[in-house]
Amino acid sequence: MREKAADVNPKDIKAGKLRPLIDDMIETMHAYEGVGLAGPQVHLPLRIFVFEVEEKVAKRRGIPKLGAGVFFNATYEPVGRETITDWEGCLSVPFLGGEVPRFKKVRLRGLDHEGAAVEMEVDGFTARIFQHEIDHTEGHVYLDRMPDLTTLGYTIVL
Ligand code: NI
């Protein structure tokens, strides 16, 4: 969890070798009703993360829907300096949540499910998810991004 994960070989992505792994990660994410999951969280020290915000989760949490997907070797950089502070939790830090400032808008660069290079700008809660998951691949958890730990508290998510 605290180590920087290794790059995935694009040839392995193109050959479809990672498909079973991606399916497993999406299944695990669903099982915990998460909106993202990164390799290091499932003892896989690779720069990979999956994401999805299903309709029922989007409604319950008041966040935008997001189709299921995966990125490899992804990095982000802020677009502008504006930040938004919002509530976050993490499957690897169970039962806790806290307020985390994140860049409102970021540019993501990485590889998609076919190993093709992707560059995209995202904002709002989608940008938050991507920042949280890419942080995992660099050995960070959201607690590292909290300037004020007094907002850390127990969540009641059963
Ligand atoms: Ni997390």
Side-chain angles (χ1 to χ4, degrees):
M1 281 289 294
R2 286 310 203 166
E3 280 168 29
K4 205 168 153 71
D7 276 343
V8 176
N9 185 337
K11 282 184 192 160
D12 291 342
I13 305 168
K14 286 175 183 145
K17 283 187 188 168
L18 296 158
R19 194 67 241 178
L21 184 74
I22 296 164
D23 291 343
D24 274 359
M25 285 179 68
I26 288 175
E27 203 174 296
T28 302
M29 174 177 69
H30 285 163
Y32 289 95
E33 297 203 340
V35 293
L37 187 73
Q41 295 186 271
V42 287
H43 308 290
L44 190 77
L46 291 173
R47 297 176 65 83
I48 169 176
F49 74 92
V50 297
F51 53 89
E52 181 174 18
V53 181
E54 293 175 288
E55 183 134 32
K56 63 180 180 193
V57 176
K59 273 189 184 154
R60 193 175 66 228
R61 293 175 59 169
I63 59 177
K65 248 180 83 172
L66 179 65
V70 60
F71 285 120
F72 303 96
N73 306 346
T75 59
Y76 70 84
E77 63 183 35
V79 178
R81 305 306 301 174
E82 196 179 342
T83 60
I84 298 177
T85 296
D86 203 347
W87 188 262
E88 276 184 39
C90 179
L91 301 180
S92 299
V93 190
F95 312 120
L96 291 173
E99 288 187 349
V100 187
R102 295 284 187 186
F103 293 113
K104 180 180 185 291
K105 193 171 183 183
V106 296
R107 182 176 299 108
L108 175 145
R109 288 190 178 90
L111 302 175
D112 70 7
H113 65 290
E114 292 176 320
V118 177
E119 183 176 333
M120 66 195 295
E121 284 185 12
V122 285
D123 69 0
F125 209 88
T126 304
R128 176 173 297 275
I129 294 170
F130 290 176
Q131 289 171 81
H132 179 118
E133 300 310 329
I134 292 171
D135 273 5
H136 274 305
T137 68
E138 289 171 355
H140 290 295
V141 293
Y142 74 90
L143 299 169
D144 306 342
R145 305 288 188 209
M146 289 180 66
D148 177 9
L149 285 169
T150 64
T151 67
L152 190 68
Y154 288 104
T155 54
I156 307 172
V157 178
L158 299 174

